Amino acid sequence: MAAAASISEGGTAASTSERTATDSASTIASTDPLIKADHYTIDASLNTKKHQLTESVTMHVVNNTDGEVSRLCIVNTAYGYLKYDRKYYKFDVKKNAKTSIRGISAGGKALSYKPGKDPSDLFVDLGDSRLAPGQSIDVTVKVTTSVPKREDRFGYTRLAGGKTLYNLSFCFPYLSDYRGGKWNYHPYYDDGENRNSAVSDYDITFRAPKSYTVAAVGKSSTEDGITKIHAANVREMAICASDAYKKQSWTFNGTRVNNYYFPGRYKKSKYMKLYNKVCKSVANESLDLYTKNIGPYAYDELDLVECLFGFGFGGMEYPGLAMINGNLEYYAKKQSQCNFDSLRSNVTHEIAHQWFYAAVGSDEYAEAWLDEGPVSFLETVEFKLADSSSSALVDKIEKTPGKTARLRKEYFTDIRKEMKKQLKSGKKTYVNVPVNKYPKDQVTSLIPYDYGCRFMGYLYLAMGADAFHSALHDYYETYSMKQATTEDFVNVIRRHDNAEKVNAIIKLFVK
Ligand SMILES: [Zn+2]
């Protein structure tokens, strides 16, 4: 997720096709969960009158443990999401907004299940269908879920001219992560994410009114209101559907980029043109920079999808898809100019998540910094402080010539001083803290985004750009399509630079 603008201020190329072929979701990596759903088949219908999503989700579950498996944990995040909404968004969200499980079955036979302490977690008893080592089973969950009226990652938004936007994520039930001999699930977390899923393949049939344009994780095509979606090696599904979208597509270095936007939302059409121009320029340059510094982009396609998130945050990452908050410049248009500087931050931030979150997975609840830290550094320093056509373009639109060069000078002067001071004082700013252990008096973005970004900045200075990028490249190559931990990250850094200073920096940030 991209933090709010105010805070955030401060594959495929050839190698991906290879990876898709040789390292498919069913391959067991050392860090793969031992009970795993390697494929999901989903049939989902969106009722735009009732604002309701009806789903049948079939997951192919494989037992790769050496013991028998008699119980599964299936997570329906929509429960936690709607509960949160009813509490904090009660003006918008109907009291009766709910998610109802219509049944869980295998081979046509109903399975019994019990909700956990958090009813998002469903413990399914496999009964006679329990799995011997190496066995697999297809488990089907039928669920109907209200889509709340909320400008967010799951919700619908009324647009001008009687049009509507649906953001559908966190509403597809999935098999919980199983590793270390237990199910690892977390409650819904609104200020960030509770995700920790391994990669799987998805095949989806999604039904919506014929007038709707659909953007989804993976590749999709729509005919007569039916969208067929296929996604390989992705950690989750997300769909954005609207009867107002227009799409602009291009290919950059072998990656197909689709930019979904709302036309005619601005009184002056020049804003629309500039929105698209900035999105395209930032997307191409981000793909280029992160490929060079870290490794090849993991998918064939990248979807940039304009969404309306109010002022809460700038965007949201999914595998091969980024929701981009179009509100920032929409409100700004009432002022003398649009906020294209924030747009640039948001687009590059969500694209950077394709490297850290989509490709290299992590537990976003237990170690939120592990994707947000490197991503914040890539966004605010590596991308935004570099001279590039997009920085020149935005500096020109915003009438702030030379701003990028000035900020770069300031950043490096400040971070050098800060690092010297903190190494001297030894003041700890730990990053590997679970989100439910953040100090209550701190803003929730401080640890994962600010401390995480600072940790990266110190390492960059101490190691030098070349060694720092080699380490990121190594980390990416080692953990792409797997899940990494803080310990894995630190071990890779030490492999590239085990100097006393680097270790002293690690001690400031890692418990
Ligand atoms: Zn983020």
Side-chain angles (χ1 to χ4, degrees):
M1 178 154 64
S6 56
I7 297 165
S8 114
E9 231 2 63
T12 206
S15 58
T16 303
S17 325
E18 275 164 36
R19 182 181 311 126
T20 312
T22 56
D23 189 6
S24 83
S26 54
T27 312
I28 308 165
S30 57
T31 48
D32 239 14
L34 287 177
I35 304 172
K36 183 176 169 178
D38 59 10
H39 188 272
Y40 289 85
T41 308
I42 301 178
D43 194 295
S45 298
L46 176 67
N47 183 325
T48 53
K49 290 203 173 75
K50 289 184 180 168
H51 306 297
Q52 204 175 57
L53 189 66
T54 303
E55 297 171 65
S56 168
V57 177
T58 298
M59 48 191 89
H60 181 72
V61 180
V62 190
N63 174 13
N64 288 317
T65 70
D66 354 325
E68 202 174 62
V69 170
S70 57
R71 199 174 77 134
L72 301 178
C73 176
I74 290 173
V75 183
N76 181 25
T77 303
Y79 180 90
Y81 192 101
L82 291 173
K83 188 181 165 196
Y84 181 92
D85 276 1
R86 282 194 301 271
K87 192 165 173 192
Y88 296 100
Y89 288 84
K90 48 186 161 205
F91 297 110
D92 271 351
V93 178
K94 288 199 178 113
K95 267 200 202 103
N96 59 359
K98 61 177 181 186
T99 178
S100 314
I101 302 289
R102 289 179 287 115
I104 301 180
S105 61
K109 258 172 62 183
L111 297 172
S112 67
Y113 63 92
K114 273 197 194 113
K117 205 169 137 202
D118 172 353
S120 305
D121 311 314
L122 306 165
F123 293 92
V124 182
D125 185 352
L126 289 176
D128 298 341
S129 308
R130 57 188 169 271
L131 298 174
Q135 269 191 336
S136 62
I137 191 171
D138 281 336
V139 175
T140 300
V141 181
K142 293 196 169 172
V143 59
T144 301
T145 301
S146 311
V147 183
K149 182 170 181 285
R150 187 176 162 195
E151 297 183 348
D152 214 295
R153 300 172 285 186
F154 177 47
Y156 74 89
T157 305
R158 288 292 188 202
L159 307 169
K163 312 268 183 186
T164 313
L165 161 69
Y166 285 87
N167 291 337
L168 306 174
S169 67
F170 304 161
C171 56
F172 301 101
Y174 61 92
L175 187 74
S176 172
D177 177 81
Y178 184 92
R179 65 185 87 211
K182 60 179 172 42
W183 296 105
N184 302 295
Y185 45 85
H186 304 300
Y188 173 70
Y189 176 61
D190 198 72
D191 273 343
E193 294 86 30
N194 65 348
R195 302 175 297 185
N196 60 349
S197 294
V199 295
S200 296
D201 297 342
Y202 282 75
D203 281 291
I204 300 189
T205 304
F206 176 71
R207 290 158 229 276
K210 283 179 194 172
S211 53
Y212 276 63
T213 296
V214 175
V217 164
K219 287 186 176 174
S220 60
S221 60
T222 306
E223 218 179 289
D224 268 349
I226 298 175
T227 303
K228 295 277 185 189
I229 303 163
H230 175 74
N233 287 317
V234 298
R235 300 181 187 281
E236 67 179 322
M237 185 40 61
I239 297 173
C240 298
S242 175
D243 48 358
Y245 275 142
K246 282 272 181 289
K247 178 169 100 167
Q248 173 199 51
S249 302
W250 65 92
T251 300
F252 179 78
N253 282 351
T255 301
R256 187 76 180 156
V257 187
N258 301 307
N259 178 35
Y260 295 84
Y261 63 97
F262 299 118
R265 211 154 61 76
Y266 309 91
K267 279 195 188 114
K268 290 181 185 168
S269 66
K270 77 168 186 183
Y271 290 125
M272 191 74 262
K273 283 188 192 131
L274 287 174
Y275 174 89
N276 288 339
K277 199 172 172 182
V278 169
C279 283
K280 184 170 180 175
S281 165
V282 174
N284 292 352
E285 284 179 2
S286 302
L287 286 168
D288 191 41
L289 184 73
Y290 305 148
T291 297
K292 276 185 191 141
N293 286 353
I294 309 163
Y297 175 60
Y299 303 102
D300 297 325
E301 280 193 16
L302 171 66
D303 293 335
L304 300 177
V305 193
E306 185 176 7
C307 292
L308 304 171
F309 290 147
F311 284 109
F313 52 102
M316 181 65 197
E317 70 282 4
Y318 302 92
L321 184 147
M323 292 181 185
I324 302 299
N325 189 1
N327 269 119
L328 294 167
E329 86 282 358
Y330 177 66
Y331 287 118
K333 89 179 166 60
K334 292 174 184 162
Q335 300 160 13
S336 61
Q337 50 189 331
C338 297
N339 195 344
F340 288 102
D341 191 53
S342 292
L343 179 64
R344 183 161 62 120
S345 302
N346 299 337
V347 173
T348 199
H349 182 101
E350 305 314 339
I351 293 177
H353 270 301
Q354 298 305 320
W355 276 261
F356 302 116
Y357 158 67
V360 178
S362 49
D363 187 324
E364 296 181 285
Y365 189 91
E367 304 187 299
W369 87 274
L370 203 45
D371 65 330
E372 295 302 351
V375 163
S376 295
F377 182 74
L378 293 176
E379 171 209 324
T380 57
V381 182
E382 297 244 65
F383 187 83
K384 284 200 71 187
L385 299 184
D387 286 320
S388 64
S389 347
S390 72
S391 64
L393 172 67
V394 170
D395 285 352
K396 194 178 155 204
I397 299 171
E398 301 276 19
K399 298 190 178 74
T400 51
K403 187 181 166 193
T404 301
R406 201 174 59 247
L407 289 177
R408 181 168 61 232
K409 201 176 156 205
E410 274 171 25
Y411 172 80
F412 284 104
T413 309
D414 291 351
I415 189 107
R416 260 191 203 98
K417 268 192 218 152
E418 218 176 277
M419 177 169 84
K420 211 172 155 191
K421 199 173 139 198
Q422 197 177 346
L423 279 169
K424 203 174 164 201
S425 74
K427 184 177 183 274
K428 310 288 188 219
T429 42
Y430 291 131
V431 287
N432 52 336
V433 181
V435 301
N436 59 341
K437 296 275 156 58
Y438 289 170
K440 292 271 179 284
D441 55 344
Q442 282 178 0
V443 290
T444 48
S445 58
L446 183 75
I447 291 177
Y449 294 83
D450 300 358
Y451 289 176
C453 184
R454 199 195 296 176
F455 184 21
M456 294 300 105
Y458 289 6
L459 288 175
Y460 180 94
L461 282 185
M463 298 168 77
D466 288 350
F468 178 77
H469 291 142
S470 298
L472 286 189
H473 184 84
D474 188 0
Y475 175 65
Y476 182 69
E477 215 170 60
T478 309
Y479 294 102
S480 192
M481 300 299 143
K482 297 172 190 162
Q483 197 181 99
T485 61
T486 298
E487 199 186 341
D488 295 326
F489 177 83
V490 164
N491 286 341
V492 173
I493 293 293
R494 287 193 175 117
R495 259 205 317 267
H496 288 262
D497 192 340
N498 203 16
E500 211 175 299
K501 189 168 186 182
V502 168
N503 280 292
I505 291 168
I506 292 170
K507 266 193 203 142
L508 298 175
F509 291 94
V510 178
K511 269 191 200 181

